[in-house]
Amino acid sequence: MTFDPLWTIVEERFQRDHQNHAETIFTIGNGYLGTRGALEEGLPGDRRTTFLHGVFDDIPVSFTELANAPDWLELYILLDGERFSLAAGEVLDYTRQLDLRSGLLTRKLIWKSPQGRTTRLEFNRFASLADPHAVVLRASVTPMDYAGLVEFRAGLNGETDNENFKHWQWLNQTTASDRLTLNSRTRASQVELAQAARLTILAPADVQRESWDVHNHPTLVGRTQLQAGQSATAEKLVIFYTSRDNREPLTAANTHLDQLPAPAWDALWEPNRSAWDKEWQTCDVIIEGDDEAQIAVRFSLFQLLVAAPRKDEHVSIGAKTLSGFGYRGHAFWDTEVFMLPFFTYTQPEIARNLLSYRFHNLEGARKKARGNGFNGAQFPWESAATGEEVTPSWVPHFADRSKMVRIWTGDIEIHISAMIPFALCQYWAATGDDAFMIDRGAEIFIETARFWSSRAEWNKQAGRYEFRDVIGPDEYHEHVDNNAFTNAFARWTLQSAIRLLDWVEKKDSAAYAALKSRLDLKPAELRQWSQVAELIYFPYDKETGLIEQFEGYFARRDIDLAALEPRTESMQVILGIEGANLAQILKQPDVVMLAYMLPALFDERSLRANYDYYTARTDHTYGSSLGPSIQAIMSCKLGLQEDAYEHFMRAARADLRDVRGNAGDGIHGASAGGIWQALAFGFGGLTVTTDGWTVKPHLPKHWKRLVFRFTWRGKSYVIDLPEKGPFRLEEA
Ligand code: IFM
């Protein structure tokens, strides 16, 4: 079997005990929907899901989640009366491959049935990137040592659930000889979904067809007689429309299906292929001298690309993309800080959509601020369809699911209200999209500045503004006062808002006047922001150059992490939630994250001092998957190439090797985005400002070449960094 190993994720052995991990890895999608790599014929314990962007429905405790759509993958195969299933019989030969270049998932196998018949099977599927409403799969069957009747049963199964919670109400269904439709609606959010499916069978002999009008599970059946060595192929084409994208989803799905020939594979394949070619031209990264890093990078970019909304500015990308039940499809700061830079610098239209999602959902953030007694907009820690806070307040304890743990992030992890403005500025610097900043960005800045200004508490005794009772990026520490990261970003937001408004006034006085009147912005308010910003407490020790992560951090128990190696569990599991809270151990970079995002706050000495202090105390492998890529970048900045590579590979392996054992819940989207940043800003040494960009490479010793692309102010660049000699720059 030929494949390009640098573009292909390969599973060479069927491993039933890894099936949920493999389902995540073999997720396909097209920015409209994502389907996990579950098997067409099903397997006990599988988590078969298709999620559509924006299709959320209510649940208890966690408020809302992406609703697992009626199953389109299902294809049962009967081989001379015996049901094909990897839960029985024997797998004689097996390979599964995901071609990252085209999004094609292929499974080839030889299966010996319990009764001893041997069959060759091949499955292919893709979600068209060119025609995002269309998904298609194909199964070819060749009896090897027998002749018999082969039967394909292709259903649309409306009885799906989200880990036992059902979201869909049946509305209607139709069946005809070669096509069927299923029309469903989410129970609470009332999103209508129409699916239209067609089964086409190519076979050497006659095909008998039937359709079964089973309630909520309409099924098309085709049967044909095969001699040993003969093959039959079934193609299942499914079209999806929802009431989010069309007023008449059922009509749209039927019309769309009518427009595609039977079989549709070829008609869909070429446009899909060329859409993928175009995608990769904007963002492919080449690493020579390190195949593991190369494939991991392409895999990460693929997973970001299949989750990226291309035509919808009312959705974001959840922490687990569209690839699993984890975090229920909710979006965190993972999107703006970790994933968004990849889009900002390679496909800014996608970044614009993602930022627009926050703009459209400002009302949810205003509601949260009001509810907490603050002004302006307080963005939710976890966000879904409306932008209201959807962090669950309680979840089962990780070690003992009979106990509940209070989750405070939705109440007091407030830095997200600075991360969105920060991402806006990054987008603006890279694109020069002034109109977006005036039309949408400025309002976000005004409302978040209002929030920060009202959330600040005046400490009369110390003569400073403080932020008490927060959680910083390092979530091992809850209810802390004056987290340096939070305080610095509160100040940054307030000062940037003032500068931005000054710029808007000069650039477009009419727009400024309209903004002022619409948002009732008064000069006194701006003066207040400026005063708060100036007096926000920022803990910096001039002697040592150290920044205390939060008040009292240095007094907490110090633990020699290196002495605990090798470990296989997080420090929170080892010490318990309270034990970790009382120690100086970090789940993920906090002051070091600040140094990455606001480098001007650090001189060389303080950068090194803080890096050394906090790196030694960070739970790199088992803490948060968000950390390693940032550590890699900061190691590069300090010229610590070996450390940088070690951190980078930790990120690169997060999903492919299931380091934390939770990849079955979905892709670690932030880690995938961080990997791109580590390549561009770490190893590539790319620095971008409003005035331009520079490159100062720091390649790992064994890398022979690194090539990456980015766009700046409408121009695309290819940076080609050979191991030795000057780097090459091309305007693409
Ligand atoms: O946003 C992150 C957070 O920083 C660490 N815990 C997991 C969240 C979702 O990935």
Side-chain angles (χ1 to χ4, degrees):
M1 189 169 294
T2 58
F3 63 90
D4 183 340
L6 300 181
W7 280 99
T8 317
I9 302 296
V10 185
E11 180 187 54
E12 281 168 338
R13 222 158 33 92
F14 171 60
Q15 287 176 279
R16 200 164 164 190
D17 47 346
H18 282 269
Q19 68 161 322
N20 294 143
H21 172 216
E23 286 163 9
T24 297
I25 299 301
F26 291 119
T27 294
I28 57 166
N30 55 19
Y32 176 74
L33 56 72
T35 295
R36 280 167 68 78
L39 308 183
E40 287 79 353
E41 70 281 7
L43 192 63
D46 61 4
R47 296 188 199 152
R48 27 195 330 111
T49 67
T50 292
F51 294 122
L52 289 97
H53 261 313
V55 181
F56 284 93
D57 193 35
D58 297 7
I59 42 164
V61 185
S62 294
F63 303 97
T64 181
E65 67 183 358
L66 283 176
N68 182 14
D71 184 20
W72 73 273
L73 270 189
E74 180 186 289
L75 184 73
Y76 297 127
I77 301 175
L78 278 91
L79 302 164
D80 209 22
E82 275 189 281
R83 179 183 281 262
F84 165 62
S85 164
L86 296 188
E90 213 182 324
V91 179
L92 302 181
D93 194 16
Y94 177 92
T95 179
R96 184 155 48 155
Q97 299 179 352
L98 176 61
D99 177 21
L100 303 172
R101 220 176 332 213
S102 65
L104 176 67
L105 180 63
T106 302
R107 179 167 53 124
K108 295 186 181 181
L109 67 152
I110 298 177
W111 181 70
K112 191 168 177 187
S113 73
Q115 290 183 26
R117 298 183 185 89
T118 310
T119 311
R120 184 184 298 282
L121 297 112
E122 176 169 342
F123 296 85
N124 300 284
R125 73 173 82 139
F126 67 96
S128 171
L129 194 62
D131 186 353
H133 296 277
V135 289
V136 61
L137 68 84
R138 211 162 59 170
S140 299
V141 171
T142 314
M144 295 174 75
D145 53 8
Y146 65 98
L149 194 69
V150 171
E151 178 171 315
F152 297 99
R153 297 178 183 171
L156 286 175
N157 183 2
E159 299 295 333
T160 45
D161 59 31
N162 281 45
E163 297 173 314
N164 299 328
F165 199 89
K166 282 185 68 68
H167 285 293
W168 296 97
Q169 270 174 336
W170 176 90
L171 288 181
N172 203 347
Q173 68 187 57
T174 59
T175 47
S177 66
D178 67 340
R179 62 190 281 161
L180 48 83
T181 62
L182 179 63
N183 205 194
S184 322
R185 190 166 56 205
T186 51
R187 286 173 188 275
S189 59
Q190 302 274 295
V191 179
E192 193 178 323
L193 168 67
Q195 292 160 295
R198 185 169 63 206
L199 178 68
T200 307
I201 294 178
L202 305 171
D206 286 349
V207 177
Q208 282 170 21
R209 308 197 60 110
E210 258 177 41
S211 53
W212 298 342
D213 195 26
V214 181
H215 180 74
N216 210 14
H217 196 164
T219 301
L220 295 167
V221 180
R223 286 183 206 100
T224 188
Q225 190 69 34
L226 290 178
Q227 301 305 315
Q230 286 187 328
S231 306
T233 300
E235 176 194 277
K236 183 178 181 186
L237 167 69
V238 184
I239 306 294
F240 284 72
Y241 276 88
T242 75
S243 51
R244 289 191 69 254
D245 42 67
N246 198 290
R247 279 198 193 151
E248 300 283 345
L250 186 57
T251 312
N254 270 319
T255 312
H256 200 133
L257 190 73
D258 288 339
Q259 285 160 356
L260 286 164
W265 188 277
D266 291 344
L268 288 169
W269 177 249
E270 271 320 308
N272 171 67
R273 182 70 225 215
S274 74
W276 272 107
D277 280 350
K278 275 200 206 124
E279 294 282 312
W280 285 114
Q281 274 162 27
T282 65
C283 65
D284 185 30
V285 172
I286 298 171
I287 298 172
E288 284 179 13
D290 191 337
D291 290 357
E292 186 187 1
Q294 171 71 84
I295 188 74
V297 168
R298 286 193 173 133
F299 172 73
S300 300
L301 303 190
F302 175 85
Q303 290 297 345
L304 292 171
L305 291 170
V306 298
R310 287 166 180 74
K311 301 216 167 93
D312 193 341
E313 46 174 62
H314 292 267
V315 297
S316 186
I317 305 179
K320 300 285 183 186
T321 67
L322 293 173
S323 63
F325 290 120
Y327 293 124
R328 303 177 186 278
H330 297 177
F332 296 65
W333 71 317
D334 304 35
T335 318
E336 284 76 16
V337 177
F338 294 84
M339 304 183 220
L340 197 96
F342 165 66
F343 296 114
T344 293
Y345 290 109
T346 61
Q347 296 198 57
E349 328 72 59
I350 295 177
R352 195 179 199 282
N353 283 346
L354 293 166
L355 290 167
S356 293
Y357 160 82
R358 295 293 189 175
F359 173 75
H360 294 306
N361 282 333
L362 263 172
E363 215 31 64
R366 288 188 180 109
K367 189 172 162 190
K368 176 168 178 180
R370 265 196 314 274
N372 288 338
F374 304 121
N375 299 332
Q378 179 180 8
F379 279 104
W381 180 245
E382 296 186 27
S383 185
T386 63
E388 288 170 50
E389 182 58 76
V390 291
T391 305
S393 295
W394 296 90
V395 298
H397 191 282
F398 49 78
D400 176 357
R401 295 188 69 81
S402 68
K403 291 198 185 113
M404 297 299 277
V405 176
R406 177 71 165 90
I407 298 297
W408 290 102
T409 51
D411 304 71
I412 55 173
E413 192 156 355
I414 58 177
H415 62 260
I416 186 152
S417 291
M419 300 297 101
I420 292 154
F422 183 85
L424 273 166
C425 276
Q426 202 173 36
Y427 167 81
W428 188 25
T431 59
D433 190 348
D434 293 349
F436 187 75
M437 284 311 279
I438 294 172
D439 295 345
R440 297 183 173 182
E443 187 164 338
I444 292 180
F445 264 96
I446 292 171
E447 295 294 41
T448 48
R450 282 175 164 166
F451 162 70
W452 285 112
S453 169
S454 62
R455 175 64 162 81
E457 289 175 64
W458 177 242
N459 179 336
K460 198 168 165 198
Q461 215 176 354
R464 65 196 193 198
Y465 282 99
E466 299 185 341
F467 292 90
R468 302 201 195 114
D469 193 20
V470 303
I471 301 176
D474 161 29
E475 294 171 344
Y476 280 174
H477 296 101
E478 298 179 332
H479 303 293
V480 302
D481 293 341
N482 291 314
N483 165 253
F485 183 94
T486 307
N487 287 19
F489 267 105
R491 184 173 61 193
W492 178 89
T493 310
L494 291 164
Q495 290 172 340
S496 305
I498 295 167
R499 276 198 302 272
L500 174 68
L501 290 174
D502 187 44
W503 172 84
V504 176
E505 187 177 14
K506 290 185 182 120
K507 176 92 185 162
D508 186 339
S509 55
Y512 183 67
L515 200 61
K516 259 176 54 183
S517 109
R518 190 158 49 83
L519 299 178
D520 195 23
L521 184 67
K522 301 273 180 337
E525 207 176 354
L526 271 83
R527 283 199 297 277
Q528 166 76 3
W529 298 351
S530 165
Q531 192 198 339
V532 173
E534 204 176 308
L535 294 174
I536 286 176
Y537 172 55
F538 185 68
Y540 178 67
D541 181 337
K542 282 195 192 124
E543 289 272 298
T544 59
L546 283 179
I547 292 168
E548 188 170 32
Q549 187 177 304
F550 54 83
E551 265 187 294
Y553 168 85
F554 289 140
R556 300 216 173 176
R557 179 181 165 210
D558 206 5
I559 293 178
D560 181 2
L561 270 188
L564 297 178
E565 296 297 342
R567 267 189 301 130
T568 54
E569 288 173 315
S570 80
M571 287 306 293
Q572 198 176 46
V573 170
I574 293 171
L575 300 173
I577 294 174
E578 198 41 30
N581 199 4
L582 294 174
Q584 289 193 35
I585 305 301
L586 279 65
K587 178 177 177 181
Q588 66 197 78
D590 197 306
V591 173
V592 172
M593 186 76 197
L594 179 63
Y596 171 48
M597 295 178 73
L598 295 181
L601 295 182
F602 295 73
D603 60 22
E604 229 173 278
R605 185 183 69 109
S606 71
L607 175 61
R608 184 67 207 228
N610 284 289
Y611 174 92
D612 287 346
Y613 193 89
Y614 289 107
T615 299
R617 290 163 178 80
T618 304
D619 191 356
H620 300 292
T621 306
Y622 299 106
S624 163
S625 65
L626 280 69
S629 53
I630 304 304
Q631 279 295 149
I633 298 170
M634 298 315 288
S635 308
C636 281
K637 294 216 185 296
L638 290 165
L640 304 169
Q641 289 327 103
E642 281 178 23
D643 292 356
Y645 184 71
E646 192 183 322
H647 290 301
F648 175 76
M649 289 312 288
R650 237 180 231 127
R653 290 170 183 152
D655 285 316
L656 287 173
R657 296 212 187 165
D658 196 9
V659 176
R660 288 173 183 74
N662 64 357
D665 297 340
I667 289 292
H668 291 88
S671 176
I675 284 171
W676 186 84
Q677 296 190 55
L679 289 165
F681 305 131
F683 298 126
L686 175 68
T687 304
V688 186
T689 65
T690 39
D691 303 327
W693 55 268
T694 55
V695 163
K696 192 172 165 221
H698 318 262
L699 299 198
K701 276 202 191 105
H702 63 290
W703 286 14
K704 306 214 170 312
R705 189 175 165 219
L706 168 67
V707 182
F708 66 96
R709 290 141 220 269
F710 70 96
T711 74
W712 188 77
R713 304 285 165 109
K715 274 198 182 143
S716 300
Y717 299 94
V718 182
I719 305 291
D720 189 343
L721 303 171
E723 186 188 16
K724 294 198 182 69
F727 76 83
R728 202 164 59 83
L729 156 74
E730 251 175 42
E731 265 186 42

